[in-house]
Amino acid sequence: MKFQNLMASTGEWLRGEGPHHQVVVSSRVRLARNLRNRAFPGWAKKAERTVILELIKPRVEELPELVGSRKASAGGTPSH
């Protein structure tokens, strides 16, 4: 499922409608990565975070789920 489709179709619980609209949903996301010999962002110095970003950015941009949902850094228009 594409991220943009998920965001476009919210459920009743998210809109605050329906018989159980008072129910609160809580979730947590765990992000893990496989970058050997690299510090996690909270421990890395700015220079190392920049290196890590340059390493992973091309691969993240290739993910089919994100194609078309990214915004260009200048102007806020879709990049694809």
Side-chain angles (χ1 to χ4, degrees):
M1 171 176 265
K2 290 192 175 201
F3 184 72
Q4 63 194 40
N5 294 345
L6 180 63
M7 296 304 295
S9 59
T10 58
E12 289 182 353
W13 62 270
L14 189 55
R15 291 191 306 266
E17 301 170 359
H20 302 291
H21 70 275
Q22 74 279 9
V23 174
V24 175
V25 175
S26 176
S27 64
R28 201 170 118 164
V29 175
R30 179 181 178 271
L31 177 63
R33 60 184 171 86
N34 187 12
L35 295 175
R36 187 170 291 162
N37 300 321
R38 299 288 181 183
F40 277 91
W43 298 310
K45 304 266 189 243
K46 184 175 181 175
E48 187 170 8
R49 291 193 311 261
T50 301
V51 169
I52 292 169
L53 175 62
E54 295 305 316
L55 284 171
I56 67 170
K57 186 177 175 184
R59 299 296 181 243
V60 171
E61 290 175 341
E62 293 172 357
L63 292 172
E65 297 84 0
L66 297 180
V67 172
S69 64
R70 291 181 290 127
K71 302 289 183 193
S73 58
T77 57
S79 59
H80 287 277

